[in-house]
Amino acid sequence: MDNAFAKSIPEVLDFFRVDPTKGLSDTQVVQHGRLYGTNVLHEDQRAPFWKLVLKQFDDLLVKILIAAALISFILALINGETGLMAFLEPSVILMILAANAAVGVITETNAEKALEELRAYQADVATVLRSGCFSILPATELVPGDIVEVSVGCKIPADMKMIELLSNEVRVDQAILTGESSSVEKELKTTTAANAVYQDKTNILFSGTVVVAGRARAIVVGVGPNTAMGSIRDSMLRTEDEVTPLKKKLDEFGTFLAKVIAGICVLVWIVNIGHFRDPSHGGFVHGAIHYFKIAVALAVAAIPEGLPAVVTTCLALGTKRMARLNAIVRSLPSVETLGCTTVICSDKTGTLTTNMMSVAKICIVESAKSSPFVTEYSVSGTTYAPEGIIFDKAGVQLDIPAQSQCLLHMAMCSALCNESTLQYNPDKGMYEKIGESTEVALRVLVEKVGLPGFNSMPSALNMLSKHERASYCNHYWEEQFRKLDILEFSRDRKMMSVLCSRNQLHVLFSKGAPESIISKCTTILCNGDGSVMPLTADIRSELDSMFNSFAGKETLRCLALALKWMPSDQQTVSFDDEKDLTFIGLVGMLDPPRDEVRNAMLSCMTAGIRVIVVTGDNKSTAESLCRKIGAFDHLIDFTEHSYTASEFEELPALQQTIALQRMSLFTRVEPSHKRMLVEALQHQNEVVAMTGDGVNDAPALKKADIGIAMGSGTAVAKSASDMVLADDNFASIVAAVAEGRAIYNNTKQFIRYMISSNIGEVVCIFVAAVLGIPDTLAPVQLLWVNLVTDGLPATAIGFNKQDSDVMKVKPRKVNEAVVTGWLFFRYLVIGAYVGLATVAGFIWWFVYADSGPKLPYTELMNFDTCSTRETTYPCSIFEDRHPSTVSMTVLVVVEMFNALNNLSENQSLLAIPPWSNMWLVGSIVLTILLHTLILYVHPLSVLFSVTPLSWADWMAVLYLSLPVIIIDEILKFFSRNPNGMRFRLWFRRSDYGLLPKREVRDK
């Protein structure tokens, strides 16, 4: 029954044909179960394991690599090759792809945990009336129409409509649905609000929420997927994980690169058709196969096999740094996504605030003899920890608050007229509440006031253990007084009273709504001398004014405290005794903002990140909090910047678009609204981060580009998020954003490094094929360069230092290419030099090296006809391993110099020297050592088809490698120099030919 909240009790009972005094019959239970379903959140059918595995290979670059590996394997079999060398290349490629697939499968499996943990919020049992008898049944057996009884501590087993109150009031903690710390008072009357949200449906008890006060009977109106908890689950199931900006750009660039690679491979094969019949190949077919192997080697060279592993490593390094900032990353790609976040939708309760009600202001009557009669105190401390200081109106600290008569009696009343508990949880290292947040706030106030008669107060209390300190003062008053009778809170009275005795002195303590308490007071307790004076009209007027200031301007939740001396023989009290009370004081409490939030939000604005506060609270309270934070001081008022969910939904589509661009505050929301907000912002090309801690936040956390859960939040929220803030601190998000931006900059640098290196390998093979000279590099040598000598420096580039202005620039655009047209040209130039230098090293050994044969260049180009001609040299010279060793060494060394170029995108090495990143220097040294190892250790040199080099060979390698730094310095100069703008603007025309088509559309 979808609209039970708007129906009267008789209408709902009649709909389900149930007698509220007897409940459903056994026959009706079976019928309703068949008609409406069972009270179970069914497990979603997961994708089979084999589908998850196959999904990891659904990438064009990966498919090309697999094809290259298989072709290499087949060609080795056709040629009759055996041993380790024949299958080394395809085996290594497949091992890398298998490792990446394993990481992907593990990540996707973890994402399903949010749905499993959602079931933890379902009740286990329920007290049900059936066939005239109450019995305790498993909650899964409930059906719509069942009559259920609930009481304090009960977890609501299904969505139910209240039909009977069995106590003065019923209050329910709905924080997991609404995120608000205050409990909600439930009632029987029908809800008439249009577009009612959870907070408006005061006659409905929602599945998974907890009763914190009172008893009631209710009729089940929704079970399983048809409950509020079920709708959250369905929303999570409908949410597809968003692809991160970096992943999108890498996919686009990969597609572009794959097409270029395919074209070059085909071109190389076609260019060499004339060589298919060369005698050295042994026939046309064998010649075609030979050059096909070269094309496959070209594909292997062009594709950066190590790129996924290096990206993952760099992101993992970032997660370690972020963990030190209390930001625990659950999804590696989200590290980078933070860097381009443009909007943070921040939950109010528990994120910007502490989610702990705290007494902030106290109003008492100082004296009834001189005006002004009332005075105001402020109280520090924003958590449930019994730590805080009380200040007078002038801001002076009260050394011993308990010496003040009103504060002393206020502490007595707060400790005795209270049914909550404050305790210390050693596992979490924090103080926790049991019961109403407002009552726990009063208990904390008692601890801050301290005890009378001790000059060492309050320092003596700090010597206690945290467990003892939690309620030491409260326990003191509970031991001093004996509770005789209690008048529970009721809706009509709006107050609670307790009769206590101490040494034959009987006192009635009362607390409640200020308008109710003050109207029943005839006298006041004066703080100055402890005297009791009549409550005059002038004093009453001042109290009303102070109450209006607390509740209106400062939006504090107010309670008034009073007492009455009773006859010493009275053992019970009635409602008639709640009159002629003596007013003690007024307290104003709130869920206070975190101290560091203001600076954090200002940092976001400086970084070009907009913050939207999202809350289920009412509009005025939320606006007041935003003013307290101080981050919205630039707004004259909240008109056109603050909307309730219903106000926003009523706007026409065009005005909604405009409102989204201005919005700073979104109130009275429920889970569907949060998800809707994220989707609407994403449609405006915003990169959205959503913070939250409750079950209600899970769908939006999952839908957002990056979901940020609080460390103290629910397991459901954490599982649906990409990142968890261990300290629940909004300020940690700012530090994480800065880290995310730095990680992206470093990621760009090592991607460019690897791409330029791979371009060099492609140029090397392509030029060698076009010139018709022997193969410069063997496939296993290419694999060594790609995986080891490229991978170590690329990873070390991830340690480049964070720019000083990283949080002073606007977020990068989502459609910003990882490698833009101008940068691609720069790295094409560098890559071309790398490839030409590698080929030059090969030719140098044959033509010019003293240790080489010093062949004429034409002989080198006609190597394949050597066996059919008379030559002055043996044909076996073309099988010598020296030239390919020189080529491979040139390729390794030139890429090490190129790694130094990537310390900065545009800054010269003179401005940012190599030692600014000692990890990079270390990786270059280690790479050279590893390369030297395979040259001079015999088993390794055989495996990689290399041979030791002489000193002259090494000098030639250095001469050919070093110019890459000079070339890149010139290109960096054009990037920095305004005179180079004309050149860059002219070149931009050709950007569109270099970038993928989708990139052009984004522009």
Side-chain angles (χ1 to χ4, degrees), residues 523-535:
T523 56
I524 49 98
L525 179 65
C526 296
N527 191 54
D529 54 9
S531 61
V532 175
M533 304 294 288
L535 177 56

Side-chain angles (χ1 to χ4, degrees), residues 417-444:
C417 198
N418 201 315
E419 295 183 333
S420 67
T421 303
L422 177 66
Q423 62 183 18
Y424 180 73
N425 186 331
D427 296 331
K428 296 182 179 179
M430 60 187 295
Y431 292 91
E432 294 181 335
K433 66 164 184 169
I434 298 177
E436 278 287 339
S437 300
T438 52
E439 292 198 334
V440 176
L442 291 177
R443 288 222 180 266
V444 176

